[in-house]
Amino acid sequence: AQSVTQLDSHVSVSEGTPVLLRCNYSSSYSPSLFWYVQHPNKGLQLLLKYTSAATLVKGINGFEAEFKKSETSFHLTKPSAHMSDAAEYFCAVGAGNNRKLIWGLGTSLAVNP
Amino acid sequence: GAGVSQSPSNKVTEKGKDVELRCDPISGHTALYWYRQSLGQGLEFLIYFQGNSAPDKSGLPSDRFSAERTGGSVSTLTIQRTQQEDSAVYLCASSPSRTETGELFFGEGSRLTVL
């Protein structure tokens, strides 16, 4: 069975400081892993995706994530937070096929001036 | 339109009434998904369409829930005899691929409140 745990429900950072949003997964298969972002009153948008190619995945808006099989983790990072990064972030895992992604509960990122 | 369009954006209904939620996917996208997002819960898969067919409807929580897709485009999610536990945001997503890449384009959702 597949599952996703986002380790922090809320993260607060200052503008210009690094962002770390943590995601652990469990999968019986070789997983596909995703990070999506949801800005207020907007639809979810794909940030980045891992599908067994390079373990360090670069996404949009300066975000990247590293797949660590030994730690079953897929943490999302950004070197320098911007005010516009304030949003809800969701980690998801697909396995076998990606028809039915399994989603984490989300991490709310606040960026303080 | 440029993105996935859902209507209504907000719906308040009384317990026991039927509701219909509409999704207009991105033109040309063959795959369409419905998810439910409840307070404090992750996204919950409801149903998946490829064209007009629904090869996976395993996430529909009860027989009060049904969905259809016509013309390979617009989809309607119907909830009959609504209950308070049906209150949630219903999200529609589409994907251009016939293979299931997990790359989904989401609408802004329909917020359903059952009184």
Side-chain angles (χ1 to χ4, degrees):
Chain A
Q2 287 71 246
S3 67
V4 173
T5 302
Q6 291 185 241
L7 297 170
D8 306 291
S9 60
H10 184 84
V11 170
S12 183
V13 301
S14 297
E15 189 175 21
T17 64
V19 175
L20 170 64
L21 305 182
R22 299 182 294 166
C23 174
N24 285 358
Y25 71 92
S26 172
S27 176
S28 305
Y29 305 90
S30 179
S32 296
L33 292 157
F34 305 83
W35 276 100
Y36 278 81
V37 61
Q38 185 178 29
H39 288 93
N41 300 315
K42 297 292 185 184
L44 281 83
Q45 179 185 19
L46 179 66
L47 270 180
L48 50 78
K49 166 185 170 182
Y50 166 78
T51 54
S52 76
T55 57
L56 182 63
V57 182
K58 294 188 183 297
I60 61 172
N61 301 334
F63 284 93
E64 61 183 38
E66 185 171 9
F67 172 69
K68 292 187 176 180
K69 185 176 180 178
S70 62
E71 299 178 10
T72 61
S73 70
F74 190 57
H75 300 336
L76 182 70
T77 60
K78 182 173 180 177
S80 176
H82 191 273
M83 296 296 290
S84 61
D85 295 327
E88 190 85 12
Y89 292 79
F90 293 91
C91 181
V93 63
N97 64 64
N98 293 319
R99 172 182 301 177
K100 196 186 307 183
L101 299 184
I102 306 300
W103 297 79
L105 297 182
T107 298
S108 176
L109 175 64
V111 182
N112 305 309
Chain B
V4 177
S5 178
Q6 292 188 246
S7 61
S9 55
N10 277 287
K11 176 72 176 179
V12 180
T13 191
E14 294 179 347
K15 177 181 172 181
K17 301 282 190 182
D18 298 352
V19 297
E20 285 189 351
L21 307 177
R22 175 189 168 104
C23 174
D24 201 342
I26 294 172
S27 179
H29 281 198
T30 58
L32 186 147
Y33 302 76
W34 284 98
Y35 282 87
R36 179 167 71 174
Q37 187 178 26
S38 304
L39 197 62
Q41 305 285 326
L43 273 73
E44 176 189 5
F45 168 85
L46 297 178
I47 189 169
Y48 158 73
F49 287 92
Q50 184 61 249
N52 292 337
S53 300
D56 191 343
K57 52 181 79 172
S58 62
L60 295 177
S62 75
D63 59 8
R64 296 187 296 104
F65 287 72
S66 63
E68 65 174 12
R69 188 179 185 194
T70 56
S73 180
V74 172
S75 177
T76 303
L77 177 69
T78 301
I79 309 172
Q80 295 179 310
R81 305 180 302 281
T82 52
Q83 304 294 313
Q84 288 184 330
E85 62 262 28
D86 300 333
S87 296
V89 178
Y90 290 82
L91 298 171
C92 177
S94 67
S95 173
S97 179
R98 292 192 175 274
T99 60
E100 294 139 6
T101 65
E103 297 178 32
L104 307 178
F105 294 78
F106 281 85
E108 295 181 7
S110 292
R111 181 177 298 277
L112 175 65
T113 303
V114 182
L115 301 178

